[in-house]
Amino acid sequence: MIKAVIFDLDDTLYPEIDYVKSGCKAIAATLARGNKGLYDEYKHTFDEIISQSPFGVIDRFCAVYENKDFDKQNLISIYRGHKPNIKLYDDVILCLNQLKDSGIKLALLTDGRPEGQRNKIAALGIEKYFDKIVITDELGGEEYRKPNPYAYKLICENFGIGLTDCLVIGDNPDKDFFIRAYGALPKLIMRNYSLHKNKQNIDVEKITDLYQIFSFVQLSQPVRILHMVGSLGWHGVEAVVMNYYRHIDKSKVQFDFIVCSQERERYDDEIETLGGGEDL
């Protein structure tokens, strides 16, 4: 039985490309010093660079403006220290709440320089959801970054469980999941699997949204989804919703309905039989 879920941060809970764009805007604003024309120019240059590749953006930006002799280290400091404008994926909060309500321990395990990672966590407002947060560089340097198993073992010791009791959710098999090479056998879930290739052919479950992890954990209460509909008669949208409702695992997901009509219609009795709620 799964007792804990260990989440990666970047590209697992939010799109990291948004952090890159946010940092580049901070650099553009600092260099422009209130000059809107310059800010627009620098931002446009960054946008063009990012559209080609999100890697090495500061080096490439400095190459474009070689004649201005920008201090690259200063730009890097601005990027790393800025307060990012980033948002969680839409499915994150519901998932975290549901897991916590079911008594499952939650850990956040992320690589990177502590200042930048802490700024991301603060901007996303997610610290309150996790029982344990580990930024690997804080453990003693870059050598503790994933796939080094030390941080995983530290989390398990803190929770008083084994790795086999864990579900690990990440996006990069070579980092997030290569712990398998050390003989550890947690359950592995890969999100955003189009971003990174599974070069080691590690055995992982692929998901497109976090709600799918409820297939692997035992919840104390089902996730409840509220639908707002005009009526519960035999109409196109209602028929599609009911078709899904009949076939889902209702021990994990339940449907409730807010209905504009006060008359009992075709699906009312069936919804009550299936365990759903209805409010007029």
Side-chain angles (χ1 to χ4, degrees), residues 58-123:
I58 294 177
D59 282 336
R60 290 150 61 206
F61 178 82
C62 289
V64 172
Y65 292 99
E66 186 177 4
N67 62 320
K68 290 186 178 286
D69 195 27
F70 288 136
D71 183 345
K72 186 175 76 171
Q73 287 306 124
N74 181 50
L75 302 190
I76 292 173
S77 295
I78 295 168
Y79 182 90
R80 291 176 179 170
H82 88 287
K83 307 301 182 186
N85 180 18
I86 53 178
K87 294 182 179 180
L88 296 166
Y89 288 121
D90 291 340
D91 54 6
V92 172
I93 295 300
L94 175 61
C95 177
L96 296 180
N97 277 327
Q98 195 68 33
L99 291 171
K100 284 189 74 69
D101 289 346
S102 295
I104 293 172
K105 293 287 188 180
L106 301 182
L108 182 64
L109 175 56
T110 180
D111 293 336
R113 291 172 177 81
E115 181 184 16
Q117 299 308 95
R118 291 288 176 190
N119 285 341
K120 293 174 186 178
I121 292 167

Side-chain angles (χ1 to χ4, degrees), residues 3-23:
K3 299 177 181 178
V5 179
I6 302 174
F7 287 92
D8 173 53
L9 176 61
D10 302 311
D11 282 326
T12 298
L13 299 184
Y14 83 100
E16 189 174 15
I17 188 67
D18 289 351
Y19 178 79
V20 176
K21 292 177 180 178
S22 177

Side-chain angles (χ1 to χ4, degrees), residues 98 102 214 219-225 249-255:
Q98 195 68 33
S102 295
F214 298 138
L219 301 176
S220 60
Q221 295 292 332
V223 177
R224 303 199 76 92
I225 308 296
D249 182 348
K250 283 168 279 294
S251 68
K252 296 183 180 295
V253 181
Q254 262 291 356
F255 284 3

Side-chain angles (χ1 to χ4, degrees), residues 4 68 124 181 268 270:
K68 290 186 178 286
L124 295 170
D268 291 82
E270 184 178 4

Side-chain angles (χ1 to χ4, degrees), residues 35 44 50 95 211 243 262 278:
N35 185 319
H44 176 73
I50 293 169
C95 177
Y211 305 137
N243 188 46
Q262 295 188 5
E278 181 182 337

